[in-house]
Amino acid sequence: MSFEEFTPLNEKSIVDYIKATPALSSKIGADKYDDLVIKEVGDGNLNFVFIVVGSSGSLVIKQALPYIRCIGESWPMTKERAYFEATTLRKHGNLSPDHVPEVYHFDRTMALIGMRYLEPPHIILRKGLIAGIEYPFLADHMSDYMAKTLFFTSLLYHDTTEHRRAVTEFCGNVELCRLTEQVVFSDPYRVSTFNRWTSPYLDDDAKAVREDSALKLEIAELKSMFCERAQALIHGDLHTGSVMVTQDSTQVIDPEFSFIGPMGFDIGAYLGNLILAFFAQDGHAAQGNDRKEYKQWILRTIEQTWNLFNKRFIALWDQNKDGPGEAYLADIYNNAEVLQLVQENYMRNLLHDSLGFGAAKMIRRIVGVAHVEDFESIEEDKRRATCEKSALEFAKMLLKGRRKFKSIGEVVSAIQQQS
């Protein structure tokens, strides 16, 4: 079978592809094909994902389709997104090797990535949060990943020539950026055939979002920032479904939406999804487990994640202040006092950006096209809607009032008051 032009793979043709690709066949072992177990697990919205497990090795093959899988060929989508995903996995993997799975092989023609299989007991973080599992290293690992990937791909570390080259390369991921622009910053605030919500319970709430002038002013500002601020190489879709975890491992996957964009979009997407998980807990409470302790763990995790990120980001900045980064030239910001002022201002703005983007991601998951399993797995509509309404009210307040918060601790206190 020839793989010289794009062909969607299936469980049979995958074996032929692996045999023809030394970087993959070496992971399985020579002549070890008879006992291969191949399973398609792509439960996402866009791609095929195959787990390949043999007696002496394993791997994952991910293939992008030229349309949105969950909708079908009526919504075309460039398969070039696989190039940006593979490129970002490698770049982020070099910066944070403990928290990004290794890429073994990339085939641009086939829009295919071969990478490390994150073996059990790894599960999607979102599923762990629904199940009420605590992850003691989650805040430590995610803050480390975000600090390194964001700092080392920004002008705080790069000169402007290198930065513009990166901006130019990732400008090509325009279709996925446009998808984000539509589903996060546009559709929830207008009548759209793609929008859905828990009806009839949230009918008035969805209408209120579409009629809230103050909300529209804020979302316009965030959309502008998303489109115009080329700050760092961001993951672009860093929610709790893009993280796989065990008790001592945290792995970030699926950066196909990556581009040079605002740092706060990654941080906000992740923290916003933790806040959604918090508000969903009452819907998963059962007799003998009211989830109250678990809700407190989520809040601690939110606070620790930002505080550790802030500390590590500033430490990287201090370590590299005399390096090639051209955002703040060393001979201008040449004493401790002025550098501290710059850093405090930078991090305050980044917190406010993150809160805004996090709120926008929360709103779109309640009244937009793609919802989250945290809420969707609450079977009773009325109970689900009660959780969603609380989350939506908090998100609207956060989006409009994000600049009043001076610390993540104040945000956590506001979450507690809302619940």
Side-chain angles (χ1 to χ4, degrees):
M1 185 175 183
S2 170
F3 299 105
E4 293 175 3
E5 58 184 49
F6 179 80
T7 313
L9 292 180
N10 56 40
E11 293 180 8
K12 184 175 183 299
S13 57
I14 281 245
V15 177
D16 295 329
Y17 188 89
I18 293 171
K19 285 180 179 177
T21 310
L24 299 180
S25 57
S26 64
K27 300 296 177 184
I28 298 299
D31 304 320
K32 296 284 188 178
Y33 298 102
D34 293 342
D35 63 348
L36 283 185
V37 176
I38 300 172
K39 186 179 179 186
E40 208 283 307
V41 296
D43 60 354
N45 296 324
L46 297 177
N47 310 292
F48 281 139
V49 181
F50 297 93
I51 294 174
V52 182
V53 178
S55 58
S56 57
S58 61
L59 52 89
V60 163
I61 288 180
K62 181 173 181 178
Q63 186 178 35
L65 299 170
Y67 52 84
I68 295 182
R69 181 180 178 183
C70 68
I71 293 174
E73 294 183 29
S74 64
W75 192 330
M77 179 61 61
T78 175
K79 61 187 189 328
E80 270 295 281
R81 63 186 184 269
Y83 167 79
F84 297 104
E85 177 168 6
T87 302
T88 301
L89 280 169
R90 284 172 167 156
K91 287 179 185 289
H92 282 182
N94 287 335
L95 297 170
S96 184
D98 292 340
H99 305 305
V100 181
E102 182 185 354
V103 173
Y104 303 143
H105 170 73
F106 173 62
D107 182 335
R108 196 163 187 170
T109 300
M110 290 286 287
L112 180 150
I113 306 169
M115 67 186 106
R116 179 189 160 199
Y117 169 44
L118 299 171
E119 65 285 337
H122 279 96
I123 62 168
I124 295 291
L125 173 57
R126 193 183 303 286
K127 294 183 182 296
L129 295 168
I130 293 167
I133 302 168
E134 293 186 15
Y135 296 99
F137 297 104
L138 184 61
D140 180 27
H141 291 172
M142 285 303 296
S143 62
D144 190 63
Y145 163 82
M146 291 191 294
K148 287 174 178 171
T149 58
L150 296 176
F151 178 84
F152 286 116
T153 61
S154 77
L155 271 174
L156 296 170
Y157 184 73
H158 285 311
D159 63 38
T160 53
T161 303
E162 172 65 18
H163 190 70
R164 287 196 172 95
R165 187 207 60 75
V167 170
T168 302
E169 178 181 12
F170 279 89
C171 273
N173 206 12
V174 60
E175 276 198 47
L176 267 70
C177 286
R178 285 185 62 79
L179 180 60
T180 299
E181 289 154 24
Q182 177 182 335
V183 301
V184 176
F185 302 107
S186 298
D187 280 357
Y189 305 91
R190 65 185 177 188
V191 174
S192 167
T193 55
F194 298 110
N195 290 343
R196 63 184 181 86
W197 53 84
T198 304
S199 185
Y201 302 102
L202 297 184
D203 288 359
D204 290 342
D205 300 271
K207 185 168 182 276
V209 169
R210 298 195 300 270
E211 295 178 352
D212 190 327
S213 299
L215 208 59
K216 289 179 178 181
L217 286 173
E218 296 296 344
I219 205 69
E221 186 175 318
L222 288 167
K223 183 177 182 178
S224 174
M225 195 187 303
F226 179 83
C227 297
E228 297 164 3
R229 184 176 290 182
Q231 222 174 7
L233 175 56
I234 65 171
H235 179 286
D237 198 28
L238 190 59
H239 53 72
T240 52
S242 299
V243 182
M244 295 193 72
V245 288
T246 67
Q247 285 296 295
D248 54 9
S249 168
T250 306
Q251 303 289 322
V252 178
I253 60 172
D254 295 346
E256 62 196 332
F257 284 78
S258 56
F259 74 112
I260 310 295
M263 295 181 185
F265 192 75
D266 268 7
I267 303 164
Y270 178 66
L271 294 180
N273 273 259
L274 287 180
I275 298 171
L276 288 176
F278 171 88
F279 281 108
Q281 291 304 313
D282 286 352
H284 298 293
Q287 197 164 6
N289 183 6
D290 59 13
R291 296 284 181 117
K292 283 183 180 171
E293 281 188 25
Y294 192 63
K295 287 168 75 174
Q296 292 306 307
W297 176 82
I298 294 176
L299 294 181
R300 285 197 304 275
T301 299
I302 290 167
E303 190 163 2
Q304 288 167 3
T305 300
W306 170 263
N307 286 338
L308 282 169
F309 166 81
N310 185 74
K311 179 181 175 184
R312 285 171 167 156
F313 194 90
I314 293 293
L316 291 172
W317 191 337
D318 288 340
Q319 291 160 20
N320 292 277
K321 68 179 187 294
D322 298 316
E326 292 197 272
Y328 299 96
L329 296 170
D331 58 350
I332 299 175
Y333 303 90
N334 53 2
N335 65 60
E337 184 182 357
V338 70
L339 184 61
Q340 185 180 349
L341 284 171
V342 162
Q343 290 175 337
E344 287 174 356
N345 188 57
Y346 193 101
M347 299 311 289
R348 180 172 57 251
N349 288 337
L350 183 51
L351 175 62
H352 294 160
D353 294 351
S354 301
L355 297 178
F357 284 123
K361 296 283 270 186
M362 291 174 67
I363 292 168
R364 79 89 156 200
R365 292 295 196 174
I366 298 167
V367 297
V369 58
H371 290 211
V372 289
E373 191 181 350
D374 309 66
F375 292 132
E376 297 288 278
S377 57
I378 301 169
E379 291 183 9
E380 187 190 337
D381 286 0
K382 189 173 183 181
R383 192 179 191 192
R384 182 192 324 123
T386 300
C387 296
E388 290 174 323
K389 189 180 180 74
S390 293
L392 185 60
E393 287 302 311
F394 178 79
K396 287 161 61 178
M397 180 281 294
L398 189 61
L399 186 52
K400 290 184 277 193
R402 63 189 183 278
R403 296 173 194 84
K404 74 182 181 187
F405 293 101
K406 296 183 179 67
S407 70
I408 195 69
E410 291 181 7
V411 179
V412 166
S413 296
I415 296 171
Q416 288 174 310
Q417 288 168 14
Q418 179 69 42
S419 64

